[in-house]
């Protein structure tokens, strides 16, 4: 369900993403193996939906709480992604952002979220208007494309959508 919510978010369907996140929250309410990780991912998606809907201040707050909680649980993947989200949403809200923290998170991102790194880097580049980070997203996309095999055409379409 969270994969579907992420897909709806990427397609710009915030209503569909919210609906799927609500379903995901119901499914994640119980205790099961790695349920804590599922809840972290759901929170990250929820914060991304807030940011996509223009609710930057609330997205920053949720992302910052997620950085703290994910770090405490040793879930570096989610802490780094939440750091980037908090920074991007903060930038869009006109808040001060520590660029060194963004650089550090972007450096770690490919090892933690290899398939998504190029897209997340492109989102950060767009939020900051950074040609350097946009170029980095292009290099990450190109590296992934080398391994895409029969999915290369679809990946090229996605890359074109995000990077032009």
């Amino acid at each position: 369900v969270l994969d579907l919510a992420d897909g709806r978010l990427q397609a710009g369907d915030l209503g569909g993403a919210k609906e799927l996140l609500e379903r995901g929250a119901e499914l994640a309410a119980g205790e099961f193996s790695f349920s804590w990780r599922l809840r972290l991912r759901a929170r990250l998606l929820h914060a991304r939906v807030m940011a996509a809907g223009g609710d930057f201040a609330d997205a920053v707050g949720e992302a910052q709480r997620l950085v703290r909680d994910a770090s405490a649980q040793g879930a570096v993947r989610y802490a780094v992604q939440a750091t980037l989200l908090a920074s991007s949403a903060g930038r869009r809200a006109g808040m001060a952002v520590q660029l060194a923290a963004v650089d550090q998170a972007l450096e770690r991102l490919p090892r933690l979220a290899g398939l998504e790194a190029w897209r997340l880097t492109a989102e950060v580049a767009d939020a900051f208007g950074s040609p350097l980070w946009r170029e980095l997203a292009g290099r990450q996309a190109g590296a992934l494309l080398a391994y895409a095999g029969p999915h290369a055409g679809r990946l090229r379409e996605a890359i074109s959508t995000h990077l032009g």
Side-chain angles (χ1 to χ4, degrees):
V1 172
L2 295 182
D3 286 341
L4 294 173
D6 193 15
R8 291 292 78 217
L9 177 61
Q10 290 181 47
D13 177 8
L14 298 184
K18 287 177 186 178
E19 182 180 312
L20 288 162
L21 282 173
E22 288 172 13
R23 283 185 41 207
E26 292 170 13
L27 295 171
E31 287 299 320
F32 51 89
S33 180
F34 294 106
S35 59
W36 59 273
R37 188 175 286 270
L38 184 74
R39 285 189 286 275
L40 290 176
R41 182 168 181 225
R43 287 175 59 194
L44 178 64
L45 284 168
H46 179 69
R48 288 184 62 219
V49 166
M50 286 189 280
D55 192 358
F56 301 121
D58 285 343
V60 169
E62 178 58 25
Q64 289 174 335
R65 287 187 294 278
L66 184 56
V67 169
R68 182 195 65 227
D69 296 346
S71 296
Q73 294 176 2
V76 181
R77 171 186 169 88
Y78 295 104
V80 166
Q81 288 184 58
T83 296
L84 292 173
L85 177 57
S87 299
S88 295
R91 174 67 175 212
R92 291 188 188 277
M95 299 174 180
V97 175
Q98 294 180 356
L99 295 179
V102 178
D103 266 331
Q104 184 181 40
L106 286 172
E107 184 178 313
R108 299 176 80 187
L109 188 61
R111 291 185 307 278
L112 299 168
L115 295 177
E116 303 138 312
W118 72 271
R119 183 178 47 79
L120 297 173
T121 301
E123 289 174 5
V124 171
D126 289 347
F128 285 86
S130 171
L132 181 65
W133 288 339
R134 193 161 187 68
E135 182 181 312
L136 174 60
R139 287 194 310 270
Q140 292 167 336
L144 184 59
L145 196 55
Y147 295 99
H151 305 287
R154 292 288 308 235
L155 181 57
R156 275 191 192 91
E157 289 175 24
I159 292 168
S160 178
T161 297
H162 288 279
L163 296 176

